[in-house]
């Protein structure tokens, strides 16, 4: 209980904001290269054997990597219940598309080799492409919408209201800026997946992955920088009218928020956060360069780029988590949308115990499964996909 008293409500809210970012980065850094590899299957593998090589580079680890998706959803549900309720309602269609796409992955992995026909396997290859490319794109589209503000309002009982019919909501999500951010996300994932293939394969597959990964990485850098310019000059930011109560109750309606200025104004008040976009650009550039030199470090550089890009969004928006374009006062922030002090503390204790176990187990799995995947191995291994 002494530790509980030392960690104030304000501190725990910030800690769980950081941990939410860690979980999102963990998802993009691990399951992200799975998605990138899946999206590349028909483009880097021209024969059935080559495609089997590509699939088997992620076959042993993709299920474990999805743990980060479960952890992220669970953390939002327990630590940020209002955020969970509002975001999962507002992005219900997007969530459905992502889940439907992700369902194609296990089905594709398991059923592809059940028959040897070219048409059969080609269909499942494209199912895997959808399962990799669509979630990567939709995650970026969701971030683009969050940066613009989501059209919701809150009633006094904290129930979220989304006006408009199904078609209007769909068209609202698929706006130009959100789609552009989706391209950043997709290119980032494809480049990361390509760097993994350069590390894990040889010969023609490796050469094709290096070429596509180079183009995807350069596209990700260019679109990331252009998205920053668009955000600076074309997207309004949000700000508090007066300093909020960092220890107050989780009720967004108690604070006054207005739209105005730019999200980029945060760099004037907190100039140190410029390190995040620098890491994003330098990491992706290093990934592109190292794909031709040291493939292992290319993967590491890609993860640095992912860390920088996702951190850029979080640090730029802080303390806002989910702004409302309909009623700015309903915007969800770090200070007014968390669980109780005790809940956050208990969750932190559980995280301190179990997160290192997950990291240790994941590291051990990658160590055991290290090495190249070759055509000879997939042809002789009865357990290969």
């Amino acid at each position: 209980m002494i530790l509980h008293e030392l960690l104030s409500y304000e501190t725990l809210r910030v800690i769980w904001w950081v941990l939410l970012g860690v979980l999102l980065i963990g998802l993009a850094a691990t399951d992200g290269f799975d998605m990138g590899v899946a999206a590349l299957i028909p483009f880097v593998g021209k024969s059935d054997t080559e495609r089997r090589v590509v699939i088997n580079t992620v076959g042993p680890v993709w299920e474990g990597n999805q743990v980060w998706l479960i952890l992220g959803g669970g953390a939002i549900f327990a630590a940020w219940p209002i955020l969970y309720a509002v975001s999962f309602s507002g992005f219900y269609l997007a969530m459905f598309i992502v889940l439907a796409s992700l369902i194609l992955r296990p089905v594709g992995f398991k059923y592809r080799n059940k028959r040897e026909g070219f048409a059969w396997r080609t269909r499942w290859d494209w199912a895997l492409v959808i399962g990799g490319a669509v979630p990567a794109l939709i995650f970026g589209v969701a971030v683009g919408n969050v940066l613009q503000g989501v059209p919701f309002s809150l009633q006094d009982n904290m129930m979220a209201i989304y006006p408009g019919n199904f078609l209007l909501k769909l068209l609202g999500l698929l706006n130009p800026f959100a789609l552009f951010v989706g391209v950043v996300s997709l290119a980032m994932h494809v480049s990361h997946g390509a760097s993994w293939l350069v590390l894990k394969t040889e010969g023609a597959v490796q050469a094709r992955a290096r070429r596509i990964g180079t183009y995807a990485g350069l596209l990700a850098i260019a679109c990331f920088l252009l998205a920053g310019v668009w955000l600076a000059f074309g997207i309004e930011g949000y700000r508090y009218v007066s300093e909020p109560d960092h220890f107050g109750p989780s009720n967004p309606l108690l604070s006054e928020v207005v739209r105005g200025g730019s999200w980029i104004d945060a760099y004037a008040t907190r100039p140190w956060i410029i390190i995040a976009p620098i890491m994003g650009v330098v990491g992706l550039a290093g990934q592109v360069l190292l794909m031709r030199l040291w493939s292992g470090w290319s993967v590491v550089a890609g993860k640095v780029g992912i860390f920088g890009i996702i951190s850029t969004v979080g640090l730029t928006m802080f303390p806002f988590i989910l702004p409302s374009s309909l009623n700015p006062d309903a915007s969800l922030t770090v200070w007014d949308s968390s669980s109780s002090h005790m809940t956050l503390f208990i969750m932190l204790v559980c995280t301190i115990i179990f997160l290192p176990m997950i990291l240790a187990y994941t590291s051990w799995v990658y160590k055991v499964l290290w090495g190249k995947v070759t055509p000879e191995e997939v042809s002789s291994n009865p357990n290969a996909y």
Side-chain angles (χ1 to χ4, degrees):
M1 295 303 294
I2 296 177
L3 183 60
H4 173 256
E5 295 174 359
L6 290 176
L7 291 173
S8 68
Y9 200 9
E10 176 189 39
T11 302
L12 284 171
R13 281 169 160 169
V14 174
I15 288 174
W16 272 103
W17 173 79
V18 172
L19 286 175
L20 178 59
V22 168
L23 294 174
L24 294 176
I25 292 168
L27 172 64
T30 56
D31 206 30
F33 72 74
D34 293 347
M35 296 178 191
V37 168
L40 289 172
I41 289 173
F43 307 104
V44 298
K46 299 304 180 181
S47 67
D48 181 65
T49 299
E50 288 181 347
R51 293 184 180 188
R52 289 187 65 199
V53 168
V54 173
I55 291 171
N56 279 277
T57 63
V58 296
V61 297
W62 71 270
E63 289 179 290
N65 290 339
Q66 288 195 139
V67 167
W68 294 97
L69 179 63
I70 307 302
L71 288 175
I76 295 175
F77 174 78
W80 308 98
I82 302 176
L83 173 63
Y84 179 90
V86 175
S87 62
F88 276 59
S89 298
F91 294 106
Y92 183 83
L93 177 62
M95 297 286 183
F96 179 83
I97 294 174
V98 167
L99 291 177
S101 301
L102 291 177
I103 288 171
L104 290 176
R105 289 209 293 174
V107 177
F109 279 121
K110 300 300 182 183
Y111 279 90
R112 184 186 186 277
N113 286 340
K114 297 301 182 183
R115 292 174 59 182
E116 295 185 358
F118 174 79
W120 171 268
R121 292 190 172 184
T122 299
R123 282 195 293 268
W124 288 118
D125 288 341
W126 282 101
L128 289 171
V129 171
I130 294 172
V134 171
L137 176 68
I138 295 299
F139 288 149
V141 170
V143 171
N145 278 284
V146 169
L147 285 166
Q148 295 175 93
V150 180
F152 73 92
S153 60
L154 292 176
Q155 295 184 334
D156 293 338
N157 60 0
M158 294 296 104
M159 188 176 90
I161 303 296
Y162 287 86
N165 57 39
F166 175 84
L167 181 59
L168 290 177
K169 292 178 181 178
L170 175 61
L171 294 176
L173 290 175
L174 301 178
N175 58 79
F177 179 75
L179 289 172
F180 193 76
V181 178
V183 172
V184 176
S185 176
L186 179 59
M188 178 182 74
H189 283 79
V190 168
S191 179
H192 196 41
S195 69
W196 178 256
L197 288 176
V198 171
L199 173 66
K200 295 287 288 183
T201 63
E202 300 173 333
V205 172
Q206 184 186 62
R208 295 185 196 111
R210 181 181 290 117
R211 184 175 64 255
I212 295 174
T214 298
Y215 291 136
L218 294 175
L219 177 63
I221 293 171
C223 290
F224 176 59
L225 293 174
L226 289 173
V229 174
W230 194 338
L231 189 68
F233 297 102
I235 306 296
E236 278 190 313
Y238 289 74
R239 59 182 175 83
Y240 277 110
V241 173
S242 58
E243 185 64 21
D245 183 0
H246 297 184
F247 303 87
S250 290
N251 186 342
L253 298 178
L254 297 179
S255 301
E256 187 176 355
V257 175
V258 295
R259 297 193 70 171
S262 168
W263 286 118
I264 308 301
D265 294 342
Y267 292 84
T269 57
R270 290 174 281 132
W272 60 269
I273 67 176
I274 192 65
I275 189 65
I278 291 175
M279 287 179 63
V281 173
V282 171
L284 290 178
Q287 177 178 251
V288 170
L289 177 63
L290 292 171
M291 262 192 263
R292 301 181 179 277
L293 300 172
W294 300 286
S295 53
W297 287 107
S298 173
V299 175
V300 175
K303 296 185 187 301
V304 172
I306 289 171
F307 181 92
I309 288 176
I310 296 178
S311 297
T312 296
V313 177
L315 291 171
T316 300
M317 292 183 61
F318 184 86
F320 290 90
I321 303 177
L322 190 67
S324 168
S325 59
L326 287 184
N327 179 14
D329 287 344
S331 299
L332 308 185
T333 75
V334 173
W335 313 125
D336 57 24
S337 56
S338 72
S339 291
S340 67
H341 188 181
M342 180 60 75
T343 300
L344 296 181
F345 175 75
I346 293 173
M347 287 180 60
L348 180 61
V349 172
C350 294
T351 302
I352 292 173
I353 295 172
F354 290 107
L355 186 58
M357 295 172 60
I358 294 172
L359 293 174
Y361 169 78
T362 302
S363 301
W364 177 79
V365 168
Y366 278 96
K367 181 178 183 298
V368 171
L369 299 173
W370 198 251
K372 299 281 188 179
V373 179
T374 64
E376 294 76 19
E377 180 182 351
V378 299
S379 298
S380 60
N381 185 356
N383 296 316
Y385 287 109

